Amino acid sequence: MIGSALNETARTIEADPATWEGLGDAELADRCSRIARRDVTELIARYRRERPRDPARRIAVAVTTDALYRLPSLDLAAARGTAAAAPTYAYVFAGGTGSHGEDVLFFFDNLRHAARVSRNPANGMLAQAASAAWISFSHTGEPEVPGVGPWPACTGAGRETLLFGHPPRVATDPFAARRAAWAGSRTRDPIPGV
């Protein structure tokens, strides 16, 4: 299983929201480019179009999550799905706050230790579904999600991905447009001190 959370970098970036407020697109692009180690200037405009009401910090979370976590993990799953002898299962975790590491609490159905996860009953049901998927995977080698059925293996062609949200569902190449946009971005030269 290979995956990421929907908002991996949220806790880091949103820890001090004031540092992100009021940033113009050029400043936002520079700051995100340093984190992503790519020139994201053109991508900032694309994310703004997708999320016109989001403040700068939410755009930063989306851009940096895609750069550092989501797209690399989905690319790895697709590559393994093509080349590996055993099936590979890809996921994006969209429950709770969707921040880094929070998916583990759901996979182990252990929300009582999740201070930032709401006590929403839907999160409890998602934790049961996520835990059931991991349990079936450990017993049979093939995860099954209650309410969804068998979780399809990720292939290079289909990039099948389970979106653990409310409700969980399978999607084919759910981030294709973003992946295509990122394919054209340039890797930055190393930034001194970063």
mmCIF file with all atom_site columns, all heavy atoms in Angstrom, residues 95-111:
data_model
loop_
_atom_site.group_PDB
_atom_site.id
_atom_site.type_symbol
_atom_site.label_atom_id
_atom_site.label_alt_id
_atom_site.label_comp_id
_atom_site.label_asym_id
_atom_site.label_entity_id
_atom_site.label_seq_id
_atom_site.pdbx_PDB_ins_code
_atom_site.Cartn_x
_atom_site.Cartn_y
_atom_site.Cartn_z
_atom_site.occupancy
_atom_site.B_iso_or_equiv
_atom_site.pdbx_formal_charge
_atom_site.auth_seq_id
_atom_site.auth_comp_id
_atom_site.auth_asym_id
_atom_site.auth_atom_id
_atom_site.pdbx_PDB_model_num
ATOM 1   N N   . GLY A 1 95  ? -9.904  11.721 5.134  1.00 0.00 ? 95  GLY A N   1
ATOM 2   C CA  . GLY A 1 95  ? -10.704 11.798 6.356  1.00 0.00 ? 95  GLY A CA  1
ATOM 3   C C   . GLY A 1 95  ? -10.075 12.729 7.373  1.00 0.00 ? 95  GLY A C   1
ATOM 4   O O   . GLY A 1 95  ? -8.935  13.168 7.217  1.00 0.00 ? 95  GLY A O   1
ATOM 5   N N   . GLY A 1 96  ? -10.808 13.026 8.431  1.00 0.00 ? 96  GLY A N   1
ATOM 6   C CA  . GLY A 1 96  ? -10.300 13.906 9.479  1.00 0.00 ? 96  GLY A CA  1
ATOM 7   C C   . GLY A 1 96  ? -9.858  15.225 8.902  1.00 0.00 ? 96  GLY A C   1
ATOM 8   O O   . GLY A 1 96  ? -10.537 15.819 8.083  1.00 0.00 ? 96  GLY A O   1
ATOM 9   N N   . THR A 1 97  ? -8.667  15.678 9.292  1.00 0.00 ? 97  THR A N   1
ATOM 10  C CA  . THR A 1 97  ? -8.127  16.913 8.711  1.00 0.00 ? 97  THR A CA  1
ATOM 11  C C   . THR A 1 97  ? -7.283  16.599 7.479  1.00 0.00 ? 97  THR A C   1
ATOM 12  O O   . THR A 1 97  ? -6.900  17.504 6.754  1.00 0.00 ? 97  THR A O   1
ATOM 13  C CB  . THR A 1 97  ? -7.247  17.664 9.733  1.00 0.00 ? 97  THR A CB  1
ATOM 14  O OG1 . THR A 1 97  ? -6.109  16.856 10.062 1.00 0.00 ? 97  THR A OG1 1
ATOM 15  C CG2 . THR A 1 97  ? -8.017  18.023 10.983 1.00 0.00 ? 97  THR A CG2 1
ATOM 16  N N   . GLY A 1 98  ? -6.989  15.316 7.268  1.00 0.00 ? 98  GLY A N   1
ATOM 17  C CA  . GLY A 1 98  ? -6.192  14.912 6.112  1.00 0.00 ? 98  GLY A CA  1
ATOM 18  C C   . GLY A 1 98  ? -4.748  15.352 6.201  1.00 0.00 ? 98  GLY A C   1
ATOM 19  O O   . GLY A 1 98  ? -4.079  15.476 5.192  1.00 0.00 ? 98  GLY A O   1
ATOM 20  N N   . SER A 1 99  ? -4.241  15.582 7.413  1.00 0.00 ? 99  SER A N   1
ATOM 21  C CA  . SER A 1 99  ? -2.856  16.033 7.540  1.00 0.00 ? 99  SER A CA  1
ATOM 22  C C   . SER A 1 99  ? -1.906  14.856 7.775  1.00 0.00 ? 99  SER A C   1
ATOM 23  O O   . SER A 1 99  ? -2.330  13.736 8.037  1.00 0.00 ? 99  SER A O   1
ATOM 24  C CB  . SER A 1 99  ? -2.728  17.093 8.635  1.00 0.00 ? 99  SER A CB  1
ATOM 25  O OG  . SER A 1 99  ? -3.258  16.638 9.838  1.00 0.00 ? 99  SER A OG  1
ATOM 26  N N   . HIS A 1 100 ? -0.634  15.150 7.680  1.00 0.00 ? 100 HIS A N   1
ATOM 27  C CA  . HIS A 1 100 ? 0.418   14.134 7.699  1.00 0.00 ? 100 HIS A CA  1
ATOM 28  C C   . HIS A 1 100 ? 0.311   13.203 8.913  1.00 0.00 ? 100 HIS A C   1
ATOM 29  O O   . HIS A 1 100 ? 0.214   13.645 10.051 1.00 0.00 ? 100 HIS A O   1
ATOM 30  C CB  . HIS A 1 100 ? 1.792   14.800 7.700  1.00 0.00 ? 100 HIS A CB  1
ATOM 31  C CG  . HIS A 1 100 ? 2.921   13.843 7.663  1.00 0.00 ? 100 HIS A CG  1
ATOM 32  N ND1 . HIS A 1 100 ? 3.234   13.135 6.524  1.00 0.00 ? 100 HIS A ND1 1
ATOM 33  C CD2 . HIS A 1 100 ? 3.791   13.443 8.607  1.00 0.00 ? 100 HIS A CD2 1
ATOM 34  C CE1 . HIS A 1 100 ? 4.266   12.350 6.781  1.00 0.00 ? 100 HIS A CE1 1
ATOM 35  N NE2 . HIS A 1 100 ? 4.624   12.522 8.033  1.00 0.00 ? 100 HIS A NE2 1
ATOM 36  N N   . GLY A 1 101 ? 0.313   11.905 8.637  1.00 0.00 ? 101 GLY A N   1
ATOM 37  C CA  . GLY A 1 101 ? 0.319   10.891 9.677  1.00 0.00 ? 101 GLY A CA  1
ATOM 38  C C   . GLY A 1 101 ? -1.033  10.558 10.276 1.00 0.00 ? 101 GLY A C   1
ATOM 39  O O   . GLY A 1 101 ? -1.181  9.566  10.974 1.00 0.00 ? 101 GLY A O   1
ATOM 40  N N   . GLU A 1 102 ? -2.024  11.381 10.016 1.00 0.00 ? 102 GLU A N   1
ATOM 41  C CA  . GLU A 1 102 ? -3.333  11.148 10.625 1.00 0.00 ? 102 GLU A CA  1
ATOM 42  C C   . GLU A 1 102 ? -3.991  9.872  10.113 1.00 0.00 ? 102 GLU A C   1
ATOM 43  O O   . GLU A 1 102 ? -4.749  9.228  10.845 1.00 0.00 ? 102 GLU A O   1
ATOM 44  C CB  . GLU A 1 102 ? -4.233  12.351 10.339 1.00 0.00 ? 102 GLU A CB  1
ATOM 45  C CG  . GLU A 1 102 ? -5.509  12.354 11.120 1.00 0.00 ? 102 GLU A CG  1
ATOM 46  C CD  . GLU A 1 102 ? -6.296  13.610 10.853 1.00 0.00 ? 102 GLU A CD  1
ATOM 47  O OE1 . GLU A 1 102 ? -6.857  13.727 9.747  1.00 0.00 ? 102 GLU A OE1 1
ATOM 48  O OE2 . GLU A 1 102 ? -6.331  14.471 11.748 1.00 0.00 ? 102 GLU A OE2 1
ATOM 49  N N   . ASP A 1 103 ? -3.668  9.471  8.898  1.00 0.00 ? 103 ASP A N   1
ATOM 50  C CA  . ASP A 1 103 ? -4.244  8.245  8.337  1.00 0.00 ? 103 ASP A CA  1
ATOM 51  C C   . ASP A 1 103 ? -3.935  7.024  9.198  1.00 0.00 ? 103 ASP A C   1
ATOM 52  O O   . ASP A 1 103 ? -4.742  6.110  9.298  1.00 0.00 ? 103 ASP A O   1
ATOM 53  C CB  . ASP A 1 103 ? -3.788  8.030  6.889  1.00 0.00 ? 103 ASP A CB  1
ATOM 54  C CG  . ASP A 1 103 ? -2.287  8.115  6.683  1.00 0.00 ? 103 ASP A CG  1
ATOM 55  O OD1 . ASP A 1 103 ? -1.578  8.656  7.560  1.00 0.00 ? 103 ASP A OD1 1
ATOM 56  O OD2 . ASP A 1 103 ? -1.814  7.675  5.630  1.00 0.00 ? 103 ASP A OD2 1
ATOM 57  N N   . VAL A 1 104 ? -2.796  7.025  9.880  1.00 0.00 ? 104 VAL A N   1
ATOM 58  C CA  . VAL A 1 104 ? -2.411  5.890  10.718 1.00 0.00 ? 104 VAL A CA  1
ATOM 59  C C   . VAL A 1 104 ? -3.439  5.678  11.829 1.00 0.00 ? 104 VAL A C   1
ATOM 60  O O   . VAL A 1 104 ? -3.805  4.538  12.143 1.00 0.00 ? 104 VAL A O   1
ATOM 61  C CB  . VAL A 1 104 ? -0.995  6.098  11.301 1.00 0.00 ? 104 VAL A CB  1
ATOM 62  C CG1 . VAL A 1 104 ? -0.638  4.999  12.291 1.00 0.00 ? 104 VAL A CG1 1
ATOM 63  C CG2 . VAL A 1 104 ? 0.026   6.170  10.180 1.00 0.00 ? 104 VAL A CG2 1
ATOM 64  N N   . LEU A 1 105 ? -3.932  6.754  12.414 1.00 0.00 ? 105 LEU A N   1
ATOM 65  C CA  . LEU A 1 105 ? -4.946  6.634  13.465 1.00 0.00 ? 105 LEU A CA  1
ATOM 66  C C   . LEU A 1 105 ? -6.209  5.964  12.935 1.00 0.00 ? 105 LEU A C   1
ATOM 67  O O   . LEU A 1 105 ? -6.857  5.188  13.638 1.00 0.00 ? 105 LEU A O   1
ATOM 68  C CB  . LEU A 1 105 ? -5.288  8.007  14.030 1.00 0.00 ? 105 LEU A CB  1
ATOM 69  C CG  . LEU A 1 105 ? -4.133  8.733  14.710 1.00 0.00 ? 105 LEU A CG  1
ATOM 70  C CD1 . LEU A 1 105 ? -4.512  10.175 14.999 1.00 0.00 ? 105 LEU A CD1 1
ATOM 71  C CD2 . LEU A 1 105 ? -3.718  8.014  15.976 1.00 0.00 ? 105 LEU A CD2 1
ATOM 72  N N   . PHE A 1 106 ? -6.558  6.256  11.694 1.00 0.00 ? 106 PHE A N   1
ATOM 73  C CA  . PHE A 1 106 ? -7.741  5.652  11.086 1.00 0.00 ? 106 PHE A CA  1
ATOM 74  C C   . PHE A 1 106 ? -7.476  4.194  10.722 1.00 0.00 ? 106 PHE A C   1
ATOM 75  O O   . PHE A 1 106 ? -8.316  3.335  10.957 1.00 0.00 ? 106 PHE A O   1
ATOM 76  C CB  . PHE A 1 106 ? -8.170  6.441  9.845  1.00 0.00 ? 106 PHE A CB  1
ATOM 77  C CG  . PHE A 1 106 ? -8.893  7.714  10.163 1.00 0.00 ? 106 PHE A CG  1
ATOM 78  C CD1 . PHE A 1 106 ? -8.212  8.849  10.550 1.00 0.00 ? 106 PHE A CD1 1
ATOM 79  C CD2 . PHE A 1 106 ? -10.276 7.776  10.082 1.00 0.00 ? 106 PHE A CD2 1
ATOM 80  C CE1 . PHE A 1 106 ? -8.882  10.025 10.846 1.00 0.00 ? 106 PHE A CE1 1
ATOM 81  C CE2 . PHE A 1 106 ? -10.960 8.942  10.372 1.00 0.00 ? 106 PHE A CE2 1
ATOM 82  C CZ  . PHE A 1 106 ? -10.257 10.068 10.754 1.00 0.00 ? 106 PHE A CZ  1
ATOM 83  N N   . PHE A 1 107 ? -6.308  3.910  10.157 1.00 0.00 ? 107 PHE A N   1
ATOM 84  C CA  . PHE A 1 107 ? -6.009  2.543  9.763  1.00 0.00 ? 107 PHE A CA  1
ATOM 85  C C   . PHE A 1 107 ? -5.967  1.602  10.960 1.00 0.00 ? 107 PHE A C   1
ATOM 86  O O   . PHE A 1 107 ? -6.254  0.421  10.837 1.00 0.00 ? 107 PHE A O   1
ATOM 87  C CB  . PHE A 1 107 ? -4.702  2.455  8.970  1.00 0.00 ? 107 PHE A CB  1
ATOM 88  C CG  . PHE A 1 107 ? -4.806  3.018  7.579  1.00 0.00 ? 107 PHE A CG  1
ATOM 89  C CD1 . PHE A 1 107 ? -3.879  3.928  7.110  1.00 0.00 ? 107 PHE A CD1 1
ATOM 90  C CD2 . PHE A 1 107 ? -5.840  2.642  6.740  1.00 0.00 ? 107 PHE A CD2 1
ATOM 91  C CE1 . PHE A 1 107 ? -3.978  4.448  5.822  1.00 0.00 ? 107 PHE A CE1 1
ATOM 92  C CE2 . PHE A 1 107 ? -5.951  3.158  5.455  1.00 0.00 ? 107 PHE A CE2 1
ATOM 93  C CZ  . PHE A 1 107 ? -5.020  4.064  5.006  1.00 0.00 ? 107 PHE A CZ  1
ATOM 94  N N   . PHE A 1 108 ? -5.627  2.128  12.122 1.00 0.00 ? 108 PHE A N   1
ATOM 95  C CA  . PHE A 1 108 ? -5.621  1.315  13.340 1.00 0.00 ? 108 PHE A CA  1
ATOM 96  C C   . PHE A 1 108 ? -6.866  1.561  14.191 1.00 0.00 ? 108 PHE A C   1
ATOM 97  O O   . PHE A 1 108 ? -6.927  1.108  15.328 1.00 0.00 ? 108 PHE A O   1
ATOM 98  C CB  . PHE A 1 108 ? -4.343  1.560  14.148 1.00 0.00 ? 108 PHE A CB  1
ATOM 99  C CG  . PHE A 1 108 ? -3.140  0.940  13.502 1.00 0.00 ? 108 PHE A CG  1
ATOM 100 C CD1 . PHE A 1 108 ? -2.316  1.688  12.682 1.00 0.00 ? 108 PHE A CD1 1
ATOM 101 C CD2 . PHE A 1 108 ? -2.856  -0.398 13.690 1.00 0.00 ? 108 PHE A CD2 1
ATOM 102 C CE1 . PHE A 1 108 ? -1.217  1.108  12.064 1.00 0.00 ? 108 PHE A CE1 1
ATOM 103 C CE2 . PHE A 1 108 ? -1.760  -0.985 13.079 1.00 0.00 ? 108 PHE A CE2 1
ATOM 104 C CZ  . PHE A 1 108 ? -0.933  -0.232 12.261 1.00 0.00 ? 108 PHE A CZ  1
ATOM 105 N N   . ASP A 1 109 ? -7.859  2.251  13.623 1.00 0.00 ? 109 ASP A N   1
ATOM 106 C CA  . ASP A 1 109 ? -9.131  2.544  14.302 1.00 0.00 ? 109 ASP A CA  1
ATOM 107 C C   . ASP A 1 109 ? -8.872  3.013  15.740 1.00 0.00 ? 109 ASP A C   1
ATOM 108 O O   . ASP A 1 109 ? -9.396  2.477  16.704 1.00 0.00 ? 109 ASP A O   1
ATOM 109 C CB  . ASP A 1 109 ? -10.044 1.312  14.289 1.00 0.00 ? 109 ASP A CB  1
ATOM 110 C CG  . ASP A 1 109 ? -11.487 1.664  14.668 1.00 0.00 ? 109 ASP A CG  1
ATOM 111 O OD1 . ASP A 1 109 ? -11.780 2.853  14.911 1.00 0.00 ? 109 ASP A OD1 1
ATOM 112 O OD2 . ASP A 1 109 ? -12.320 0.745  14.731 1.00 0.00 ? 109 ASP A OD2 1
ATOM 113 N N   . ASN A 1 110 ? -8.061  4.060  15.843 1.00 0.00 ? 110 ASN A N   1
ATOM 114 C CA  . ASN A 1 110 ? -7.615  4.548  17.139 1.00 0.00 ? 110 ASN A CA  1
ATOM 115 C C   . ASN A 1 110 ? -7.801  6.061  17.227 1.00 0.00 ? 110 ASN A C   1
ATOM 116 O O   . ASN A 1 110 ? -6.850  6.796  17.487 1.00 0.00 ? 110 ASN A O   1
ATOM 117 C CB  . ASN A 1 110 ? -6.147  4.158  17.344 1.00 0.00 ? 110 ASN A CB  1
ATOM 118 C CG  . ASN A 1 110 ? -5.726  4.270  18.780 1.00 0.00 ? 110 ASN A CG  1
ATOM 119 O OD1 . ASN A 1 110 ? -6.527  4.539  19.659 1.00 0.00 ? 110 ASN A OD1 1
ATOM 120 N ND2 . ASN A 1 110 ? -4.437  4.074  19.014 1.00 0.00 ? 110 ASN A ND2 1
ATOM 121 N N   . LEU A 1 111 ? -9.020  6.529  17.028 1.00 0.00 ? 111 LEU A N   1
ATOM 122 C CA  . LEU A 1 111 ? -9.275  7.965  16.996 1.00 0.00 ? 111 LEU A CA  1
ATOM 123 C C   . LEU A 1 111 ? -9.259  8.619  18.371 1.00 0.00 ? 111 LEU A C   1
ATOM 124 O O   . LEU A 1 111 ? -9.216  9.836  18.470 1.00 0.00 ? 111 LEU A O   1
ATOM 125 C CB  . LEU A 1 111 ? -10.615 8.254  16.308 1.00 0.00 ? 111 LEU A CB  1
ATOM 126 C CG  . LEU A 1 111 ? -10.702 7.822  14.843 1.00 0.00 ? 111 LEU A CG  1
ATOM 127 C CD1 . LEU A 1 111 ? -12.010 8.278  14.242 1.00 0.00 ? 111 LEU A CD1 1
ATOM 128 C CD2 . LEU A 1 111 ? -9.530  8.355  14.044 1.00 0.00 ? 111 LEU A CD2 1
#
